[in-house]
Amino acid sequence: MNKLLILVFVLIVFNCKTPEARQPVSVKTGSFIDASVERNKKLNAKEQFAIEQLMKQQNKNYLASESGFWYYYNNKIEIDTLSTPKFGDIVNYNYNVKNLNGSVIYSTEVIKTQVYAMDKQELFTGLREGLKLMKTGETITFLFPSQKAYGYYGDENKIGRNTPLICEVTVNSITQNQKN
């Protein structure tokens, strides 16, 4: 019995040591993120080149937006009394969607007239920012790089992943939000 108690005592003493920090099994280097950044830079450069080529071919007076897309006025309203939409204003508009080759993806007839509460509803980034530039009665053609359109996932229907778009948008009316 004494031998058993001594053995248990010895095992307890040698098993009770201070905890040691464990080293990580693998070291993360961020290589996945670096590769993703490189892919995105190449994709953006490729899309920018294609858009620039299209603008040269069309020979239109395109303007660069602060939001990262290009546009030109098909029909510009010069009247200063008309305003562009602000937060909460209701915008009634029509638009179509084409790829950079000019093939129609969604026609105005398919999309139908849209009603949008400015910055209160979901809308792809480029179109939301583009509507903020427009007055009632104007028609603008926008060139959206994929990150301003439907991005990596597309619309999960007819618009594929990383697809730059051409949208021709006409604002039919803007109803001012009473709180503005």
Side-chain angles (χ1 to χ4, degrees):
M1 184 74 152
N2 277 344
K3 290 182 183 180
L4 183 62
L5 285 175
I6 293 173
L7 181 63
V8 168
F9 179 73
V10 169
L11 287 174
I12 290 174
V13 168
F14 284 110
N15 282 331
C16 293
K17 60 180 181 175
T18 59
E20 294 178 17
R22 298 184 330 179
Q23 297 299 321
V25 176
S26 64
V27 178
K28 303 273 184 198
T29 63
S31 61
F32 173 77
I33 292 173
D34 293 340
S36 179
V37 167
E38 277 307 307
R39 263 192 320 272
N40 284 334
K41 283 182 179 179
K42 288 178 183 174
L43 174 67
N44 289 342
K46 180 181 170 185
E47 287 182 12
Q48 175 122 5
F49 179 76
I51 288 171
E52 287 172 357
Q53 294 296 69
L54 178 65
M55 288 189 292
K56 285 179 187 176
Q57 287 173 0
Q58 291 183 343
N59 199 22
K60 304 277 186 185
N61 189 20
Y62 278 95
L63 303 168
S65 76
E66 294 177 6
S67 300
F69 58 84
W70 297 264
Y71 64 99
Y72 74 87
Y73 286 89
N74 302 57
N75 179 34
K76 183 173 174 117
I77 303 297
E78 299 292 343
I79 302 170
D80 290 336
T81 57
L82 294 178
S83 65
T84 57
K86 307 288 184 272
F87 179 82
D89 290 350
I90 305 300
V91 181
N92 179 297
Y93 66 99
N94 293 88
Y95 74 111
N96 63 37
V97 179
K98 302 175 188 174
N99 62 24
L100 290 187
N101 296 330
S103 299
V104 175
I105 299 172
Y106 294 112
S107 68
T108 305
E109 292 77 26
V110 169
I111 297 174
K112 305 205 182 313
T113 299
Q114 299 291 304
V115 177
Y116 172 67
M118 187 56 68
D119 292 331
K120 288 187 171 186
Q121 295 174 284
E122 288 294 317
L123 193 61
F124 72 87
T125 306
L127 186 55
R128 182 177 64 240
E129 295 300 319
L131 286 170
K132 291 177 183 179
L133 301 172
M134 300 182 73
K135 298 176 187 174
T136 299
E138 288 185 329
T139 300
I140 296 181
T141 298
F142 295 98
L143 298 177
F144 297 121
S146 64
Q147 71 269 17
K148 291 293 176 183
Y150 288 92
Y152 182 75
Y153 293 104
D155 73 344
E156 298 179 354
N157 192 7
K158 291 184 178 182
I159 300 172
R161 64 195 311 172
N162 299 321
T163 303
L165 300 175
I166 302 171
C167 293
E168 187 176 303
V169 183
T170 301
V171 171
N172 303 316
S173 66
I174 299 170
T175 305
Q176 301 291 313
N177 182 357
Q178 299 305 316
K179 293 179 183 178
N180 286 350

